[in-house]
Amino acid sequence: MSIESLRRSARATVSGLPHGFWWLWLSTLVNRTGAFVLTFLSLYLTQELGHSAWFAGLVLALHGLGGVAGSPLGGTLTDKWGRRPTMVTMHLVTACCAAALAVVTTAWGVAAVVLLMGVSMQAVRPSIQATITDMVPEHDRRRAFALNYWALNLGFAVAAFGGGAAIFLGYRTLFVVEAVAVALCALIVFLRLPETRPEARRNPAGEIVEKDRVSVLDVLRDTPFRTLVLLNLLVCLVFTAPWVGLPLTMAAAGLAPGAYGAVIAVNGVVIVAFQLLVNKVTEKRSPAMLLTVSSVLFAAGTGATALAGTPLVFAVTVVVWTIGEMVHVPTNAAATAKLAPEHARGRYQGVMGMSWALSGFLAPILAGWVVDGPGPDFLWMATAAIGTVAALGYVTRLRKVLDEEEPTTPGAAGPGPETKPGGAAESTSSVTA
């Protein structure tokens, strides 16, 4: 492939997206570039404050538990309050939590701050996903979600490298830097990002139409979407397992901790280097087929870990499930956007976010229990089986729903009003500065 063809491909990948999307993309990059708390929290708790490894694990689990509550909260606020106010508020809460960790040293104080931080960090995500859905036409959404995910991983890679190099300044300094980065992210959103929340439809009396009153329970009653959430939960459990089980498996194989660091770093390197290429290859493919393939890759990559014995082979398994991650994350986000009614995009993204947060809480506990009990090989056989079940679920339960074309208003420029089954057109977005 020539340099010119690579340039054309890169231009095609980033062209045609709304101006506001790039401000959101920049805010994501800035936010994740300062993501030091979760990366170094366990080391801070054990080495700096002298707490046990058990307590450090408990605190990280509390962060995941906070996310389980924060995701539906953020989704509801996104639809009722607005995308931009929710983002700004939750970013500022996160910034305050990061700054608080630089001064709070008691066990209960740290646990409370981290729990609140889990709520705010997860609560902001439905508003980001809903904003992308509002701004970007359906045929470009998967590409937009992939670009935003790429920014997230690029920023995180910078944070991991920069944090490691700057750790001699002290953990508290890193936490203050994260607070500043997240506050800067909130400032970008406040100054540059337009509000995109669609106006609710109202009857002649000025009351919101009954069919547009959607609760979290109503979202869970949506059978196709509920199926998508449950299958995503299975995939998330498989995806999260290596972050706990892989270092334990490598240690049991007699490998040094440094070998795990090098192997898991492959995940970030592959995403930063190849996410845009993967998106280019998959952009015209069937969503159901992509979700099926990604589940198979998760199953194959994690399952093959049971057969690995050297750092190189472990690294190959990471490459396999990382490709699955690059395919799955933007496709799942776009599928959620497709199934969500315009007036409930925040709630749908919030419920989907719960599956990610719940897996982040459950998978470390379950993986640790399995490794200590039946053993690492059983863990990897289980993840292979779960990933296979998810793949079968996507191809048998969601292929028709996800692959059908979404009719749009003829001649509409950009997202436009979308016509839902039954012929009723949803109201257009009200975009204000």
Side-chain angles (χ1 to χ4, degrees):
M1 183 178 286
S2 67
I3 298 296
E4 184 56 33
S5 63
L6 287 173
R7 288 176 179 171
R8 285 197 302 269
S9 178
R11 280 196 297 268
T13 300
V14 301
S15 65
L17 295 172
H19 186 65
F21 168 80
W22 292 108
W23 285 112
L24 184 63
W25 184 91
L26 178 63
S27 73
T28 298
L29 181 63
V30 170
N31 187 359
R32 297 305 292 176
T33 300
F36 298 122
V37 169
L38 291 183
T39 307
F40 298 101
L41 184 59
S42 60
L43 292 176
Y44 171 67
L45 291 172
T46 54
Q47 296 181 1
E48 183 87 3
L49 300 185
H51 293 295
S52 66
W54 174 86
F55 178 76
L58 174 63
V59 170
L60 290 173
L62 285 176
H63 185 276
L65 188 62
V68 175
S71 195
L73 171 65
T76 301
L77 291 176
T78 294
D79 286 336
K80 289 190 172 183
W81 194 14
R83 279 59 162 147
R84 189 171 64 168
T86 302
M87 271 188 265
V88 171
T89 301
M90 293 304 166
H91 280 318
L92 290 178
V93 172
T94 300
C96 290
C97 289
L101 285 174
V103 295
V104 175
T105 57
T106 64
W108 286 109
V110 170
V113 171
V114 171
L115 177 65
L116 178 59
M117 196 173 188
V119 173
S120 61
M121 287 182 69
Q122 192 66 33
V124 79
R125 290 175 183 172
S127 56
I128 295 173
Q129 306 287 62
T131 299
I132 294 175
T133 305
D134 296 336
M135 284 183 169
V136 180
E138 185 182 358
H139 63 274
D140 280 333
R141 282 178 192 158
R142 195 190 307 163
R143 175 162 62 101
F145 284 121
L147 284 167
N148 198 64
Y149 189 65
W150 182 63
L152 187 151
N153 281 279
L154 180 61
F156 187 77
V158 172
F161 176 78
I167 203 167
F168 65 91
L169 297 174
Y171 295 106
R172 290 180 173 86
T173 301
L174 295 182
F175 297 163
V176 171
V177 171
E178 171 156 359
V180 172
V182 180
L184 179 58
C185 170
L187 185 64
I188 293 172
V189 171
F190 180 75
L191 294 178
R192 306 303 303 177
L193 196 66
E195 176 57 63
T196 63
R197 178 169 62 101
E199 294 180 353
R201 296 180 300 177
R202 299 180 181 272
N203 60 25
E207 301 169 334
I208 297 177
V209 219
E210 185 61 34
K211 69 177 294 185
D212 283 358
R213 297 180 185 275
V214 179
S215 68
V216 172
L217 289 178
D218 293 325
V219 175
L220 292 173
R221 292 189 187 104
D222 182 335
T223 302
F225 181 68
R226 185 174 66 240
T227 303
L228 183 69
V229 171
L230 291 174
L231 292 175
N232 186 66
L233 176 59
L234 294 180
V235 172
C236 290
L237 289 172
V238 175
F239 166 62
T240 310
W243 299 92
V244 177
L246 185 57
L248 299 177
T249 301
M250 293 181 68
L255 298 174
Y260 168 71
V263 166
I264 202 62
V266 170
N267 173 259
V269 170
V270 169
I271 292 176
V272 172
F274 297 108
Q275 177 71 69
L276 301 185
L277 176 61
V278 168
N279 184 62
K280 185 67 178 174
V281 171
T282 60
E283 63 180 346
K284 304 294 185 183
R285 308 295 179 183
S286 146
M289 183 271 287
L290 290 176
L291 291 171
T292 302
V293 169
S294 66
S295 300
V296 170
L297 289 170
F298 276 120
T302 59
T305 307
L307 306 176
T310 65
L312 177 61
V313 179
F314 279 116
V316 171
T317 68
V318 171
V319 170
V320 173
W321 60 255
T322 297
I323 296 173
E325 177 188 354
M326 290 190 289
V327 174
H328 179 86
V329 173
T331 306
N332 183 72
T336 302
K338 179 184 180 67
L339 295 180
E342 185 182 63
H343 58 280
R345 284 170 175 163
R347 291 176 179 86
Y348 272 66
Q349 293 288 358
V351 170
M352 179 57 72
M354 282 180 66
S355 63
W356 289 94
L358 188 59
S359 71
F361 175 68
L362 292 177
I365 297 172
L366 294 175
W369 175 77
V370 170
V371 169
D372 283 342
D377 288 352
F378 185 87
L379 173 67
W380 305 122
M381 288 188 291
T383 58
I386 294 171
T388 303
V389 169
L392 291 173
Y394 284 122
V395 76
T396 60
R397 305 289 295 176
L398 291 175
R399 184 175 56 182
K400 183 177 180 181
V401 175
L402 295 182
D403 290 352
E404 66 180 5
E405 292 294 326
E406 181 85 8
T408 56
T409 303
E418 296 177 356
T419 304
K420 301 297 179 183
E426 299 289 351
S427 60
T428 56
S429 297
S430 171
V431 181
T432 58

